[in-house]
Amino acid sequence: MSSNTPQDVPSDEELAQMSRDDLVKLGNKLDGVELVEYPDPWPVKGTRAEKRAERAVALWFLIAALAGFAFIGVFLFWPHAYVAPNTDGYFMYSLFTPMLGATLGLSILGVGVGALLYMKKFVPHEVAVQQRNDSGSSELDKATILAELADAGDRTTIARRSLIKRSAGLGAGAMGLGIGVFAIGGLVRDPWAQTESKDSLWHTGWKHEKPGEKVFLRRATGHAHEVSLVRPEDLSAGAMETVFPFRESEREDHHALSKALKRSDNPVMLIRLRSEDGRKVVKHQGQEDFNYGDYYAYTKICSHLGCPTSLYEDATNRILCPCHQSQFDALAYGKPIFGPATRKLAQLPIAVDEETGYFIARSDFIEPVGPAFWERKS
Ligand code: FES
């Protein structure tokens, strides 16, 4: 409740005539605020110390701006495509993430330190004592508080410090721009571009790049450059093995060998059903010959949100995704039978190479693997 006495309160005409200083004083008085100290941080204007302080603030904002632009540059132009260890370009590639963190961190730090320094050096540190009120604000209170805020703003001298204003705008702007590019940049990818390339959203590393090319099924041994191919007799009934694409042309290419293991849509589960289960299989139209006997190959990428569906329960022939507990039926073309996934797991058409006896992929998947995206129709 306001404790203003009638003699404290000016008439509407008097209020309209009052200067901002008068309003500040009146506001303090009406609010029961006693300004014990209200020192001007720079009573003598234009001193060298004041200019030095101003330049220090501006310097931090400029650091923020430069770091913000550097972040955008790193995000857009730094080599970020995977490079295998011990090959040319690995050092630069390995710096991509640290550089993103360092430049964005420095930009945020610059804005923060600049703002703190400005508050410390230019905002008056008043000491005031105020009685608490518990009612809403009257028009009079609103007018006086606005005057007080404007006055406080003036006393920080920001209005006449164009160097600080410009550098702060530049620093905060560059930092904001960097964060915007970071947030939106990853979404700007045209899924229709290079539709036939194996690097598009429509294909995986299993895509045959030339007619007649053999793409073998390779297991991961823990050593990226070691090639271990899979034959039918390697799997016992009820077993599952995770496999990746391999081409003879890549045998000595360490970069390609590592990349094949790392590409997110490459992992495939090769499952050998028990013979009695194999007889119960229901095939999807158009995929009748995708299996090789009791061997079935399904993408490991969950059709819900793309987690690896790493769990195969041979007793029930279910493939489980640990993320949100979707389950897929390995006896029925990987169709979802439980959980949030609504699409089947893509099936890789496989065969055995007559020449070598190893498994090969007869083609890429006939549909995109993993979760849905806007342009996907199925
Ligand atoms: S990602 Fe597999 S169930 Fe959600």
Side-chain angles (χ1 to χ4, degrees):
M1 186 68 67
S2 174
S3 58
N4 300 333
T5 58
Q7 62 269 30
D8 292 335
V9 181
S11 64
D12 287 350
E13 293 77 36
E14 286 171 329
L15 195 59
Q17 299 297 320
M18 291 175 85
S19 68
R20 197 168 72 197
D21 262 5
D22 295 336
L23 286 167
V24 169
K25 285 185 194 134
L26 177 64
N28 284 334
K29 189 172 159 203
L30 294 178
D31 285 345
V33 174
E34 185 192 348
L35 273 178
V36 182
E37 281 177 37
Y38 202 11
D40 185 337
W42 302 101
V44 182
K45 307 296 176 203
T47 61
R48 291 172 108 178
E50 184 188 5
K51 289 200 183 325
R52 223 176 13 251
E54 191 172 7
R55 282 197 297 271
V57 172
L59 179 67
W60 277 103
F61 285 135
L62 285 176
I63 289 173
L66 291 176
F69 288 126
F71 172 80
I72 295 169
V74 170
F75 186 79
L76 295 177
F77 304 115
W78 198 276
H80 61 274
Y82 175 75
V83 177
N86 303 322
T87 49
D88 282 352
Y90 174 74
F91 180 67
M92 291 298 280
Y93 159 73
S94 69
L95 288 180
F96 178 61
T97 306
M99 286 300 290
L100 284 179
T103 49
L104 186 60
L106 186 60
S107 185
I108 293 170
L109 182 77
V111 169
V113 174
L116 279 177
L117 213 53
Y118 182 75
M119 294 296 288
K120 194 164 158 20
K121 297 283 184 189
F122 294 100
V123 175
H125 300 283
E126 84 274 18
V127 178
V129 179
Q130 181 180 18
Q131 304 302 317
R132 289 191 64 174
N133 293 321
D134 56 2
S135 62
S137 305
S138 65
E139 285 308 308
L140 175 66
D141 288 340
K142 288 178 194 167
T144 52
I145 196 66
L146 280 177
E148 283 177 19
L149 288 175
D151 182 65
D154 260 13
R155 284 176 191 265
T156 66
T157 62
I158 188 67
R160 65 184 174 85
R161 297 197 185 278
S162 55
L163 178 62
I164 290 182
K165 273 197 292 190
R166 287 197 195 121
S167 58
L170 192 63
M175 187 187 79
L177 191 63
I179 291 173
V181 167
F182 188 54
I184 296 169
L187 303 175
V188 184
R189 185 176 173 190
D190 180 3
W192 301 105
Q194 302 175 320
T195 305
E196 284 313 305
S197 159
K198 77 178 169 57
D199 292 326
S200 78
L201 283 177
W202 306 98
H203 292 290
T204 70
W206 294 95
K207 183 175 190 306
H208 292 48
E209 290 180 290
K210 33 186 192 264
E213 180 183 45
K214 285 181 187 167
V215 181
F216 292 92
L217 277 59
R218 167 201 178 192
R219 59 171 66 86
T221 62
H223 302 285
H225 306 150
E226 183 179 17
V227 177
S228 174
L229 304 181
V230 184
R231 296 177 209 265
E233 52 269 35
D234 293 343
L235 272 76
S236 52
M240 186 275 275
E241 175 120 44
T242 302
V243 291
F244 302 84
F246 167 75
R247 297 163 177 81
E248 261 321 318
S249 58
E250 296 173 348
R251 189 173 282 276
E252 301 304 324
D253 184 345
H254 288 184
H255 173 76
L257 290 177
S258 297
K259 199 173 168 189
L261 297 178
K262 286 176 179 276
R263 181 169 165 155
S264 59
D265 52 10
N266 274 355
V268 159
M269 285 174 289
L270 177 64
I271 294 171
R272 179 177 179 182
L273 300 176
R274 293 193 179 84
S275 307
E276 59 272 28
D277 292 331
R279 288 192 283 275
K280 299 180 208 157
V281 163
V282 177
K283 294 187 177 175
H284 194 275
Q285 195 178 15
Q287 299 184 180
E288 292 87 351
D289 59 352
F290 277 21
N291 59 304
Y292 175 80
D294 291 334
Y295 298 82
Y296 289 75
Y298 296 106
T299 177
K300 206 167 179 175
I301 309 306
C302 182
S303 62
H304 176 224
L305 291 180
C307 283
T309 54
S310 312
L311 307 169
Y312 169 59
E313 191 177 57
D314 64 318
T316 60
N317 289 300
R318 290 184 176 194
I319 299 162
L320 314 176
C321 177
C323 282
H324 312 102
Q325 284 71 52
S326 283
Q327 296 182 17
F328 304 87
D329 189 352
L331 299 187
Y333 51 86
K335 76 171 179 187
I337 48 176
F338 182 82
T342 55
R343 280 181 294 106
K344 64 186 173 68
L345 294 173
Q347 189 176 352
L348 187 72
I350 54 170
V352 166
D353 178 35
E354 287 179 4
E355 216 176 295
T356 60
Y358 292 118
F359 276 114
I360 51 171
R362 288 170 36 219
S363 74
D364 193 5
F365 296 96
I366 57 169
E367 58 191 317
V369 304
F373 46 93
W374 286 334
E375 292 77 6
R376 183 177 175 154
K377 299 287 186 287
S378 60

